[in-house]
Amino acid sequence: MKSNEIAIPEIQRPFVWSTTQVRDFIDSLYAGYPVGYLIAWRNPNVRLKDGRVSDGKRILIDGQQRVTALMAALLGQRVVTKEYKRVNIVIAFNPLERRFEVSNPAIKKDKQWLADISGVLSPNFRMLQFVRDYCAENPGADQDEIYESVSLLQGIVNNHIGLIELNSDLDIETVTEIFIRINSKGTVLSQADFVMSKIAADETHGGNLLRKCIDYFCHLAVAPDFYEQIQQEDKEFAATTYFGKMGWLQHENDDLYDPSYTDMLRVAFTSEFKRGKLEDLVAFFRGETSKRGSMRRQLSSNRLRCSIKGFSTS
């Protein structure tokens, strides 16, 4: 996970798992249960979430939620939720019962619990010292059992998760369609998610930047201080006219209404096309193979882009 060999493309969604889903996923790994396959695509020129290009990394097409859950729970990294909040997901472990829970104040006070499992994977963690201290604080605990219990927890990072790698010759449209079909299972891909994926895939007409414009606008409406983070961490987008026109949002503190990207897409689509149903917008972005269909999709994308730019800068 720390090797930076896997990257998340623009077509992916925010982290949408609940904390209990993360807990259950870690528990499944600990028990040795199958947790499915990751699907990756090695391509040197795909746009990533942070604005850079993939530079030959494996691009994660399916498995973002699982990989992000691992990085949050085992490495202590913060995640950005669908509400654009940066949060820590802390999972606790009871070595006596070999049970996981989402950490809470009561657990932190209970000496039977390891309040944050990420500490076990720290290079500063000392197993023998931990076992001695744990057994001293929990009379009756068997040192060998506690050692085995925590060793199994450490071994999670070595558990095998299958990887399917897509052919590097596949184009972004095909890979996006694979992503959409896969994600029609599990956490349901909404119509807005479909449109956002299609927009991001259309790099020929600046779709990756348009996708970011929508995401960043909605994020800034909720968290105005995110403006400085964009300036520092996504300099390419910060140099665009999209970002230049969104400066007013860094001073916007009115919480009466904060639009989601579903709202933004619907308003922009209604404004430009006089239609309010997202299924009509989905139809525009459906992958027709004919020249007429391609031209129609390009025209729709251009008109939507103009409408969103006007909406985001007003």
Side-chain angles (χ1 to χ4, degrees), residues 49-229:
K49 284 286 189 179
D50 59 7
R52 296 176 296 174
V53 293
S54 55
D55 196 25
K57 295 178 181 178
R58 287 188 176 94
I59 307 305
L60 196 62
I61 301 303
D62 184 50
Q64 176 198 3
Q65 305 300 311
R66 285 168 286 167
V67 170
T68 304
L70 287 173
M71 295 177 72
L74 302 185
L75 300 183
Q77 294 190 7
R78 303 178 82 185
V79 300
V80 178
T81 68
K82 59 184 177 181
E83 289 83 21
Y84 302 105
K85 295 179 180 178
R86 296 178 65 85
V87 300
N88 290 105
I89 299 176
V90 183
I91 304 300
F93 178 64
N94 187 321
L96 283 171
E97 301 177 1
R98 299 192 178 187
R99 181 162 62 92
F100 294 91
E101 287 293 347
V102 178
S103 195
N104 59 52
I107 282 177
K108 291 177 181 179
K109 295 177 182 178
D110 191 331
K111 294 180 180 180
Q112 285 194 5
W113 287 85
L114 177 61
D116 184 353
I117 62 174
S118 66
V120 170
L121 300 176
S122 168
N124 299 320
F125 182 76
R126 297 293 180 265
M127 175 68 84
L128 294 178
Q129 184 64 52
F130 170 80
V131 171
R132 285 195 294 266
D133 293 344
Y134 184 89
C135 291
E137 294 177 343
N138 295 277
D142 181 88
Q143 287 194 10
D144 290 337
E145 290 185 5
I146 299 303
Y147 184 92
E148 180 183 11
S149 181
V150 179
S151 293
L152 287 172
L153 176 57
Q154 286 184 319
I156 281 180
V157 297
N158 299 318
N159 283 13
H160 178 73
I161 299 179
L163 177 67
I164 298 173
E165 190 162 311
L166 301 178
N167 193 314
S168 60
D169 294 335
L170 291 175
D171 58 65
I172 185 65
E173 282 284 341
T174 302
V175 173
T176 301
E177 188 63 29
I178 292 171
F179 164 73
I180 289 167
R181 291 193 182 194
I182 289 170
N183 284 279
S184 64
K185 310 293 190 295
T187 302
V188 177
L189 191 74
S190 70
Q191 292 175 327
D193 289 325
F194 176 92
V195 173
M196 291 287 273
S197 296
K198 282 295 188 182
I199 289 173
D202 187 15
E203 293 190 9
T204 302
H205 305 102
N208 57 310
L209 292 177
L210 181 59
R211 161 70 185 259
K212 281 191 177 183
C213 173
I214 299 169
D215 265 336
Y216 285 163
F217 177 86
C218 296
H219 194 154
L220 286 168
V222 176
D225 56 351
F226 186 64
Y227 188 87
E228 293 184 5
Q229 186 175 331

